Amino acid sequence: MNKISVVYYSSTGFTQAMAEALVEGVKSAGIEPNVYKISEVNVDDVFSSDVIAMGSSACGAETIEETYFVPFMDENLDKFNGKKVYIFGSYGWGGGEYADNWKAQLEGAGANVVAMPILVNDGASDEELEQLKEIGKKLATI
Ligand SMILES: Cc1cc2nc3c(=O)[nH]c(=O)nc-3n(C[C@H](O)[C@H](O)[C@H](O)COP(=O)(O)O)c2cc1C
C-alpha cells in the first residue's frame, strides 16, 4: 500500500470538496492519507510519500494559487523527480489551462502524472466527485 499525501488550495470550497472526495476514496482502500492545506503543508511529510495528490483552483493568470502553492512548487521542484503525482482542481473562465501549465511543470521535473487530471468549472458534479473517489481508491496501489 502506498503512503499518500493530499495537498490543496481552495478559496470558496470547490477544490476542497474535490479533495475530500479523493480522500474518501483513499480511506476506503484502507489508507489514512496525510491531508494538508497548502498554507500548512509539511514538506518533509509530503515528499516521503509514494503518491502526492495536489489540488488547486485557477488563480492569477492561469496559475495555481500564488502565495503558497507557486513557491512550494518552485522550491521543491527537483523533489518531484520520479514521484507519482495526481492533480485536480476548479477553474472559472480559463477552461483549465492553468492545469495544463501545472502538469507540464511537473512532467518537466520528471514526475509521473498517474491519471488524467479532473478539472471542473466551479463545483464538481456528483459524477465528478465519484470519479475522484475512484481515483483516490486507485492511488492506494498504483
Ligand atoms: C484572484 C482570482 C484569480 C483567478 N484566476 C483565474 C484564472 O486565471 N483562470 C480561471 O479559469 N479562473 C480563475 N479564477 C476563478 C477560480 O479559479 C474559480 O472561481 C474556482 O472555481 C474557485 O475554486 P475554489 O473555491 O476551489 O478556490 C480566479 C479567481 C480569483 C479569485
Side-chain angles (χ1 to χ4, degrees):
M1 289 289 205
N2 287 321
K3 178 176 174 182
I4 300 176
S5 286
V6 182
V7 185
Y8 70 93
Y9 167 80
S10 184
S11 59
T12 67
F14 291 143
T15 304
Q16 181 169 345
M18 299 174 77
E20 285 168 359
L22 186 120
V23 164
E24 204 180 314
V26 172
K27 286 183 176 174
S28 76
I31 293 179
E32 192 61 39
N34 304 314
V35 185
Y36 295 106
K37 290 184 178 169
I38 186 64
S39 56
E40 297 163 5
V41 69
N42 179 325
V43 172
D44 291 340
D45 213 12
V46 167
F47 287 99
S48 70
S49 305
D50 302 300
V51 180
I52 304 170
M54 298 187 291
S56 175
S57 46
C59 295
E62 296 309 326
T63 74
I64 54 175
E65 188 275 333
E66 290 176 288
T67 303
Y68 297 100
F69 233 133
V70 167
F72 169 79
M73 290 301 303
D74 290 346
E75 285 161 22
N76 297 294
L77 197 56
D78 56 336
K79 298 185 189 136
F80 282 101
N81 190 14
K83 280 281 174 207
K84 294 173 193 163
V85 173
Y86 181 69
I87 60 172
F88 59 93
S90 168
Y91 60 87
W93 52 84
E97 187 188 331
Y98 82 104
D100 295 338
N101 300 333
W102 196 10
K103 184 166 177 277
Q105 182 188 30
L106 282 160
E107 289 177 339
N112 174 12
V113 178
V114 293
M116 191 64 88
I118 292 187
L119 304 167
V120 304
N121 182 218
D122 294 340
S125 64
D126 288 348
E127 194 185 334
E128 287 159 339
L129 292 174
E130 276 307 315
Q131 287 171 3
L132 281 155
K133 279 185 208 166
E134 282 307 309
I135 286 170
K137 226 184 267 182
K138 283 186 189 146
L139 294 182
T141 52
I142 206 160

